[in-house]
Structure formats: structure tokens, C-alpha cells
Amino acid sequence: MNRLIPVAGVLVILFVAWLFSENRRVMNWRLILSGLFLQWIIAFIFLRTDIGQGAFFASRLLIERLQYCVDQGTGFVFGPEAKHHQVAFVVLPLIIFVSSLTAILFHLGILQLLVKAMAKIMVWVMDVSGTESLAAAANVYVGMTEAPLVIRPYLESMTRSELMAMMSSGMATIAGTVMAAYVAMGVDAGHIVTASLISAPAALVVAKIMVPETEISPTKGVVRVEIPRQDTNILDAACRGASEGLTLTLNVAAMLIAFISLITFANWLLSLPGNVGGEPLSLERLTGYLFAPFAFLMGVDPKDVSTVATLLGKRLILNEFIAYQELTTLKQTLAPRSFTIATYALCGFANLGSIGVMIGGIGKLIPGRRSELAQLGFRSMIAGTLACYLTACVAAILI
């Protein structure tokens, strides 16, 4: 039953995506089936083979080394007591370091090679266009507003379906800069890396169901990365990356303070009418009711369905950072299987706030298509959410 329920979950999620489709009569079954196949193959390699276990070990070792390096920097600036303040001086500084490291890797052209290789695989297997495959691959490594820079020369000429695919990919994956931060919280590095990787083809599948391609893409079958260098040398790249990482870190810190305070305030307002069913109403209870069917279909242990459903709701209404932070505090109370499935389901930027971030970021690159981005914003959030749930179902079948 642990495997049969997520199989049913895959079918239900695809059906929900079809219900949201702009054109239910135009379904590219070759793309849909090959995308699911690619997702399964990648997941199987990472979760059920010796190669995958080696990758898990390497991911954990890499994050441990990165964390050690960050500890040296924070210890020098804030003193040895810094390590006792987990979020402020352990998790957030990791974002600054990884951002600087990412900028260096981009300057050297290493990340471009990884993105291009991954995009070519998706073009070959799924028969998607070069722009949407590059955008999906780039979103695995960088943020949703940075990934479009990889295909900037083609943004104006992208079809509506390609725009949807690009935006959905940004919603369904997480950037490497914050991925390390979630691992520092207590999430397994191997699982979160696998989740982001297999969500890329899942996002393309769901996006193509919800907004099927009815035009001819100018980049069909073409994979070309054209990113002008922003930095003079490695040192310049490291400085720029650190500066951008600091901005992101301050935004994350402000977001955590604001949203956690808002949750507490909202729960207080909901509790004013009195108890309902023996206890006060809260956001946790409301989202738990709404997302419980999805948590069940992912194969979460029955006793943990309500808890995981609450986390799914918080990720959508607030963001994944808060959801992961709460998930790690529940590690001892959740069944190991439920904890792992939740790790996959939460691995994406699909939330209400991301709609504004994406429209604002990409809209600056193509101001003439800003209204079209706004039209696709909410739809792409739904697609990203369903893609994450699809990834969780696939993982649940294999773990």
C-alpha cells in the first residue's frame, strides 16, 4: 500500500493539472510520458543504485565542508558563540558563501556546462524546446529571477507555453544558494538535491498539460547558452556574489521575522470566536484540512497526514523556508518515511509571494510581455506546486 497510494497520487495530480488546462483537447502525450519516464529514471538512479548512494554521500560531504568553511568565517566575525544561534549565524551566512561560490562557478563557465548538459538531455528525451529546457535546468542551480538570464536573447520570442514552462520550473525547484541553508537546518542533502533535479522534468510535464504548445518555437531542438560575463575576474565575481548573497540573506531574515509574526497574529484573530471542535481555529488547522488529501496521496504515514498537510499549506501561503524550518523541528515526531516525503514535497519556490517576485524580476527583462507574465503567474504557482507533489509521489514509490 505504501507504493500503490503514491501511484494513484501521480494519476490524480496529472488529472488536476488537466482540469486547469487552457486547452484540454491538445495534449502532447509523447512529452508527458517521456517526461515522467525521465523523472523516474533520475529518481531511480539516485534512490535505488550504488551510483545514487555515492551521490548522496558526496552531497552530504560537500555540505558538511561548506558548513565548516562558513563556521570559520562567522566564528571570526561574531565569535565562537555564534554557532549557538542556528538560524542567524549558521544557516543564513551559508547563503552568502554559496552565493559567492556560485558567482565564481558562473564566471568560470562551470555552471553553464552543467545547465547545458541537463538541458540537452531534456530536449533529447522530452522533445521540448531549447529555451524551456535551459530555463528548467538553470532553475536547479540558480534562482527564479536569475535563471531567465541564461536565455535572455530568446525571452521576447518565446511562445506563451514556453513562458509558462519557464515560470513553472522556477516555482517547482529551489536555488542552490538556499538549498545549502535547508541542509544546515537538518534536511538530508541527498534527498533535497534529488528533489530539485527530478522536479525540473516534472515542472515541464505539468506546465505543458496546463498550457499546451500551439505555436512553433524558434528554438525547437536548439540548446545554446549565451550569458555575457558580468565580472572582470574571479575576485570580482566572489565580491559580487557575496554582496548579492548578503541582500538575499537580509531579505530571508526580514521575511522570517515578518511571516512568523503574521502567523501568530492570524492565529490570534482566528481564535477570538472561541473553540471550534474543542480547540481554537488556526492557520495550521485550516491548511491541514485543505491539503490532507494530497499528503495522503503522496504516501505519508496516516498519523502524519495532518502535520505534513499543514506544512504544505504553509509553503504555499508563506514560503518553503518557514515550512522547512518547522519540518526539521518535527523530525523526532514524524515517521522517517513521512519526513522524507515532506522533504520532496516542500522543495520548491511555489508560494504566493513568489508570483510577485517572478513577475517583477522577469518583467524587467521583457517589459512588453509583463501583462502576459501576470496572467500566467498564479497558474505557474499551481503548476509548480503540482510538480513538487508529483516528485514526492515518485520518491515515495521508490524509497
Side-chain angles (χ1 to χ4, degrees):
M1 289 303 296
N2 282 343
R3 288 181 169 82
L4 287 177
I5 292 175
V7 169
V10 170
L11 299 176
V12 171
I13 289 166
L14 294 176
F15 177 70
V16 172
W18 179 78
L19 289 178
F20 280 101
S21 179
E22 288 186 347
N23 191 339
R24 298 191 185 98
R25 295 184 178 182
V26 181
M27 291 290 118
N28 186 341
W29 292 108
R30 187 249 193 254
L31 185 152
I32 294 169
L33 295 176
S34 61
L36 292 173
F37 172 76
L38 180 60
Q39 188 183 26
W40 276 76
I41 289 296
I42 297 173
F44 183 84
I45 291 172
F46 274 88
L47 297 174
R48 300 298 292 271
T49 68
D50 292 338
I51 296 174
Q53 294 308 303
F56 266 54
F57 177 78
S59 300
R60 292 165 185 152
L61 183 62
L62 175 61
I63 297 298
E64 286 177 7
R65 289 294 89 194
L66 292 179
Q67 187 63 67
Y68 171 78
C69 296
V70 171
D71 289 344
Q72 303 310 301
T74 54
F76 178 80
V77 175
F78 300 110
E81 295 299 315
K83 62 183 179 181
H84 299 300
H85 302 276
Q86 176 72 11
V87 175
F89 299 124
V90 177
V91 176
L92 295 182
L94 191 58
I95 296 176
I96 298 175
F97 174 57
V98 175
S99 178
S100 182
L101 182 60
T102 300
I104 293 173
L105 293 176
F106 249 96
H107 178 75
L108 296 175
I110 295 173
L111 278 186
Q112 289 92 317
L113 290 175
L114 294 174
V115 168
K116 189 174 183 178
M118 186 173 173
K120 281 189 172 182
I121 292 173
M122 286 190 283
V123 167
W124 179 61
V125 175
M126 300 176 63
D127 194 33
V128 291
S129 72
T131 50
E132 56 198 6
S133 64
L134 281 170
N139 273 301
V140 175
Y141 302 99
V142 295
M144 63 173 67
T145 54
E146 292 85 6
L149 296 174
V150 176
I151 54 171
R152 187 168 187 171
Y154 314 106
L155 288 174
E156 284 287 357
S157 61
M158 287 177 72
T159 68
R160 178 181 174 84
S161 180
E162 287 176 324
L163 280 180
M164 174 65 176
M166 176 183 66
M167 296 172 71
S168 301
S169 300
M171 292 286 188
T173 55
I174 60 173
T177 47
V178 292
M179 188 183 296
Y182 302 144
V183 175
M185 290 181 183
V187 180
D188 187 274
H191 283 305
I192 204 165
V193 169
T194 304
S196 198
L197 279 173
I198 64 178
S199 285
L204 292 178
V205 168
V206 176
K208 290 301 182 181
I209 292 175
M210 292 179 63
V211 182
E213 186 63 86
T214 57
E215 306 170 68
I216 299 176
S217 169
T219 61
K220 186 69 173 178
V222 179
V223 179
R224 187 180 298 113
V225 182
E226 298 179 12
I227 311 176
R229 287 193 174 184
Q230 304 179 55
D231 312 297
T232 306
N233 50 40
I234 292 177
L235 182 59
D236 188 27
C239 292
R240 180 181 61 81
S243 180
E244 292 177 353
L246 175 61
T247 301
L248 176 59
T249 300
L250 292 175
N251 285 336
V252 169
M255 171 191 67
L256 289 174
I257 294 170
F259 281 140
I260 291 175
S261 301
L262 286 170
I263 292 173
T264 306
F265 181 68
N267 284 341
W268 173 69
L269 291 178
L270 289 170
S271 68
L272 290 179
N275 290 350
V276 177
E279 57 181 314
L281 277 179
S282 65
L283 281 177
E284 287 82 356
R285 283 186 67 189
L286 294 176
T287 56
Y289 296 145
L290 182 62
F291 291 92
F294 288 105
F296 173 77
L297 287 170
M298 292 174 199
V300 170
D301 193 294
K303 72 177 182 63
D304 298 325
V305 164
S306 178
T307 303
V308 173
T310 297
L311 296 176
L312 297 178
K314 284 189 174 182
R315 197 281 300 270
L316 186 69
I317 297 171
L318 303 171
N319 55 62
E320 79 294 337
F321 205 106
I322 291 174
Y324 270 129
Q325 186 183 38
E326 187 167 332
L327 174 65
T328 54
T329 64
L330 298 169
K331 193 169 187 177
Q332 301 305 318
T333 59
L334 291 174
R337 177 179 172 81
S338 300
F339 182 88
T340 301
I341 293 172
T343 299
Y344 283 83
L346 298 175
C347 189
F349 286 143
N351 60 70
L352 294 172
S354 290
I355 298 175
V357 172
M358 183 169 287
I359 294 172
I362 304 175
K364 291 178 182 178
L365 301 176
I366 43 174
R369 305 189 70 177
R370 189 182 180 91
S371 61
E372 194 170 7
L373 294 173
Q375 292 171 13
L376 294 172
F378 190 75
R379 190 177 289 272
S380 68
M381 185 196 71
I382 295 175
T385 300
L386 293 176
C388 290
Y389 293 175
L390 190 60
T391 290
C393 288
V394 171
I397 295 167
L398 293 171
I399 59 175

